[in-house]
Amino acid sequence: MSASIIAIDAMGGDFGPRCIVPASLDCLEEIPSLHLVLVGQASLIEELIAQRPGVDRARLHVQHASEVIAMDDAPAQVLRRKTDSSMRVALDMVQQGRANACVSAGNTGALMALSRFVLKTLPGIDRPAIVSAIPTNNGFCHLLDLGANVDCSPEQLYQFAVMGSVAAEVLGTPAPRVALLNVGTEMIKGNQQVKLAAQLLQEAGSVNYTGFIEGDGLYRGEADVVVCDGFVGNIVLKSSEGLAKMIALRIEAIFKRHWAGRLVGLVALPLLARVKNELAPAQYNGASLLGLQGIVVKSHGSAGRAGFKSAIRRALKEIEEDLPQRLSGKLEDLLL
C-alpha cells in the first residue's frame, strides 16, 4: 500500500492539540502506511510529541502556523486576515499536493469557506455539502447536508443527492437508495424546494431515488443516502447525539436506583456496553466536505481522542478510494 499523507489542523476543536496530537500519534502507530503533518504552534506540538516515546519521526512532520482560528471567528474575516492559521496552512498543503487530505475539528464555517476558496468545487457543483454516517437499525446511512448550507435550492439538493449516491457507492454500498428527508412520504407534502428537488430526481433518473423519507424511516434504515438542507440536517444530527446520550443516562440511572436494578444491571452490562459502543458518536465521527477538488474531513469540535482517530481513518479511506477523482468522473456524466 502506498503512503498517504494527511495534514492535521492540530489547533482546532474544543480540546485542541492536547487531544489531537495524541490521537494522531495513535493512528501513526496503528497504520504503517500513514504519514502525518501536524500543523499549528510548533513548540507546543513538539512538547506533546516529546511525551510519547518511540514516535516514528520519519512519518511525522510538524509545520508551524502562527495563527489559530477561534470557534467564533467569522468566515469572511478568516479569509481576509488569518492567512497563516493552522487550518489555512493545512488546506494549502492539500492544494499544493504536499498532502492528500486535511482533517480539522475547528470552526465549521471557516473550514467550509477556506476549503471552497483554496481547493475550489468540482465541475457542476455549486456548493460543497457536509456528509457523515448515521447509525440505523441495519447499519448506517449517509446524511447530507449537515450544516454547510442552511438554505438550499432544488438544484443544490439534487446535486447533494448525486454526490451522496456516488460517495456511498465508492465507499462500498452498491446502487445506494437515495431519499429526500421530508415531513411525510406523500408527494403533496413538504416545502417547495423539496418537492422540486424530488421532481428533478425523478426526471433525471441519475440515482436510485426512492422518494421521501420521514425521520423515523432514517433510523429504520429505509435509505442508504438521506438528503436535506443544512439547517434540518444539523438539527437531526445534534438531536440524535443528544437522544442517544439521554437514553444511556436514563438506563444507567434505572439500574442504580435500587438493589434489584443493580443486580439486573450486572447481567445486562455486557450487552448494554456493546450497544453503547455501536451507537457512540466517536464511531461515526468524521464528516466529509463533498464536492471539493480535494479531501477535507471535519471532526466534531467536541470529539475526544477516539473520535478524532475516526476522522483520520475516514480521510484515509477517502484517499485510498481516490474519492474526489472518482466523484468528478461520475458527476461529469450525471450533472454536466
Side-chain angles (χ1 to χ4, degrees), residues 36 44 58 60 63 68 77 85 87 90 101 112 129 157 162 181 183 205 213-214 236 251 267 286 298 301 304 313 328:
L36 293 178
L44 176 56
L60 178 67
Q63 178 68 50
V68 176
Q77 297 295 320
S85 67
M87 185 184 292
M112 177 59 70
L157 291 174
V162 173
L181 189 61
V183 295
I213 190 172
E214 296 181 84
V236 170
I251 292 173
V267 177
K298 170 70 172 72
R313 288 186 175 278
S328 177

Side-chain angles (χ1 to χ4, degrees), residues 199-215:
Q199 186 176 336
L200 289 173
L201 286 164
Q202 289 169 334
E203 291 173 354
S206 54
V207 300
N208 182 19
Y209 176 62
T210 59
F212 293 144
I213 190 172
E214 296 181 84

Side-chain angles (χ1 to χ4, degrees), residues 186-208:
E186 300 87 352
M187 290 300 297
I188 60 171
K189 292 190 174 180
N191 58 31
Q192 194 69 4
Q193 291 95 319
V194 171
K195 290 179 182 178
L196 290 174
Q199 186 176 336
L200 289 173
L201 286 164
Q202 289 169 334
E203 291 173 354
S206 54
V207 300
N208 182 19

Side-chain angles (χ1 to χ4, degrees), residues 27-309:
C27 285
L28 199 67
E29 285 184 359
E30 296 165 8
I31 307 169
S33 63
L34 181 62
H35 290 237
L36 293 178
V37 181
L38 298 178
V39 185
Q41 296 175 1
S43 58
L44 176 56
I45 294 172
E46 291 287 3
E47 178 185 324
L48 293 167
I49 294 172
Q51 297 174 12
R52 185 83 163 256
V55 174
D56 184 358
R57 292 306 299 254
R59 294 188 292 122
L60 178 67
H61 178 68
V62 176
Q63 178 68 50
H64 180 67
S66 61
E67 297 173 307
V68 176
I69 294 175
M71 297 304 278
D72 58 353
D73 278 347
Q77 297 295 320
V78 167
L79 277 170
R80 288 196 297 268
R81 298 180 180 176
K82 292 194 173 181
T83 56
D84 196 44
S85 67
S86 55
M87 185 184 292
R88 174 65 180 269
V89 172
L91 289 167
D92 283 341
M93 293 188 71
V94 177
Q95 192 275 329
Q96 295 161 3
R98 296 165 57 201
N100 304 113
C102 165
V103 179
S104 175
N107 181 320
T108 302
L111 182 64
M112 177 59 70
L114 284 171
S115 296
R116 289 183 67 184
F117 178 76
V118 173
L119 299 175
K120 314 302 181 188
T121 57
L122 293 168
I125 298 299
D126 294 337
R127 299 180 184 177
I130 300 177
V131 60
S132 187
I134 303 294
T136 68
N137 280 350
N138 50 11
F140 64 90
C141 78
H142 300 274
L143 179 65
L144 73 164
D145 176 36
L146 294 177
N149 310 281
V150 295
D151 293 307
C152 296
S153 68
E155 291 76 17
Q156 287 161 352
L157 291 174
Y158 169 71
Q159 291 173 14
F160 295 170
V162 173
M163 287 196 296
S165 176
V166 172
E169 190 169 1
V170 167
L171 294 173
T173 305
R177 300 162 298 163
V178 179
L180 287 168
L181 189 61
N182 200 0
V183 295
T185 57
E186 300 87 352
M187 290 300 297
I188 60 171
K189 292 190 174 180
N191 58 31
Q192 194 69 4
Q193 291 95 319
V194 171
K195 290 179 182 178
L196 290 174
Q199 186 176 336
L200 289 173
L201 286 164
Q202 289 169 334
E203 291 173 354
S206 54
V207 300
N208 182 19
Y209 176 62
T210 59
F212 293 144
I213 190 172
E214 296 181 84
D216 57 345
L218 186 159
Y219 296 106
R220 285 199 296 268
E222 294 176 0
D224 303 302
V225 177
V226 176
V227 178
C228 58
D229 64 47
F231 184 87
V232 172
N234 194 265
I235 291 174
V236 170
L237 178 67
K238 300 292 176 58
S239 298
S240 302
E241 293 172 349
L243 179 63
K245 291 177 183 176
M246 183 272 290
I247 290 173
L249 290 172
R250 284 287 186 94
I251 292 173
E252 186 178 340
I254 289 171
F255 284 146
K256 290 180 177 179
R257 195 166 295 163
H258 48 75
W259 69 267
R262 288 193 290 271
L263 186 61
V264 173
L266 288 174
V267 177
L269 192 60
L271 290 176
L272 290 173
R274 180 177 174 182
V275 171
K276 186 176 180 180
N277 182 62
E278 289 179 354
L279 298 180
Q283 295 287 338
Y284 300 91
N285 184 53
S288 305
L289 273 62
L290 280 186
L292 295 167
Q293 296 184 41
I295 296 170
V296 179
V297 173
K298 170 70 172 72
S299 170
H300 201 304
S302 64
R305 190 161 164 173
F308 198 84
K309 287 171 62 177

